[in-house]
Amino acid sequence: MRRVAPDFQRARRPEQVEARRAAILGAARELLSERPVSRISLRELSDRVGLAKSNVLRYFDSREAVFLEVLDSVWVAWLDELEGELSDLDGSGYERVAAVIATSISRQRLLCELISTMAAVLERNISVETARAFKTRAADRTERLAGLVRAHAPLDAEAAGHFAKAVFILVAGLWPYANPGEAVATVLAERGMPAGPAMFVDGLTEGLANQLVGLAVRAGQSPEW
């Protein structure tokens, strides 16, 4: 579905530029609700927003830069939700903390998909300026996650930072396996393997709990917390 371009065909004022960027990001999110990022081309994105490809590239230096911006926005939204979910945590324990994080992020399908493509795809065809801006914000988001974890687990700043990075590495690795193609899904069902969502949450919970216990032991703390 090609859209009619907005009236501000030649955005000059800052508010016009921001409106154009918002329109592009909105179109990107619409497409992501229909198909994986790997199946969305710059031409499809430009058609959806009603612009020529060259015009899209005036506001983002590549297709990948658009989706990195979407990734950052859903990352922030998830951290906002996670903060409330952790504050409602009933009791303590590494596995409880791990389970809350794993269950919470499993509900964020778009975030998980973009994380799984971030290093291999989205961070490849971008400028140094875009990479610098994204990595700066990513460091802020990771630090925030580490702070949320430290409020609910006895870790020091270094260990919590390591754990926060591990969350995204584990999501990136597990998500594709939990969302296989039709043929592989059929074979996994034949073999009695758990369905994708259960596989993802169970595997991520175990991986995160192991990370927390391991980091606690390395710091000389009890693994029984």
Side-chain angles (χ1 to χ4, degrees):
M1 176 179 67
R2 184 182 177 89
R3 291 185 169 182
V4 177
D7 292 336
F8 45 90
Q9 290 293 321
R10 302 181 71 178
R12 293 186 176 90
R13 297 193 298 273
E15 62 269 23
Q16 291 177 323
V17 171
E18 286 307 308
R20 182 64 60 82
R21 284 173 57 88
I24 294 169
L25 292 170
R29 292 188 70 144
E30 284 185 3
L31 286 167
L32 285 165
S33 71
E34 300 167 7
R35 62 182 74 103
V37 64
S38 61
R39 293 170 52 196
I40 303 172
S41 67
L42 179 59
R43 179 176 296 280
E44 288 175 306
L45 177 58
S46 62
D47 284 348
R48 178 61 62 95
V49 78
L51 295 171
K53 290 194 297 183
S54 59
N55 283 337
V56 172
L57 295 176
R58 289 181 181 179
Y59 303 97
F60 298 92
D61 59 42
S62 66
R63 177 193 81 106
E64 290 76 11
V66 175
F67 293 116
L68 282 177
E69 194 81 13
V70 174
L71 168 56
D72 184 64
S73 67
V74 294
W75 193 344
V76 170
W78 173 61
L79 289 172
D80 290 342
E81 289 191 14
L82 179 64
E83 184 171 5
E85 292 165 347
L86 284 172
S87 67
D88 294 334
L89 185 62
D90 182 18
S92 61
Y94 298 117
E95 190 161 353
R96 286 191 180 92
V97 172
V100 169
I101 295 173
T103 302
S104 177
I105 202 168
S106 72
R107 294 192 290 263
Q108 307 293 327
R109 292 190 60 86
L110 178 54
L111 175 59
C112 291
E113 182 191 340
L114 293 175
I115 288 173
S116 72
T117 62
M118 185 178 77
V121 177
L122 299 184
E123 291 185 335
R124 299 294 175 172
N125 183 35
I126 56 175
S127 67
V128 171
E129 290 76 14
T130 293
R132 183 177 294 116
F134 176 72
K135 285 301 189 184
T136 298
R137 288 181 292 176
D140 291 341
R141 313 312 177 218
T142 303
E143 183 177 352
R144 182 181 174 191
L145 177 56
L148 293 178
V149 171
R150 285 193 75 194
H152 299 278
L155 299 177
D156 61 24
E158 183 179 1
H162 180 95
F163 175 79
K165 294 173 185 175
V167 171
F168 291 90
I169 293 171
L170 288 169
V171 168
L174 284 169
W175 188 253
Y177 283 101
N179 293 272
E182 185 176 346
V184 173
T186 298
V187 172
L188 291 176
E190 292 172 351
R191 296 173 62 87
M193 301 293 287
M199 177 193 301
F200 181 75
V201 174
D202 291 348
L204 187 56
T205 298
E206 182 175 1
L208 295 180
N210 289 340
Q211 282 283 323
L212 288 170
V213 171
L215 288 165
V217 170
R218 287 182 63 182
Q221 298 169 353
S222 171
E224 301 301 326
W225 171 78

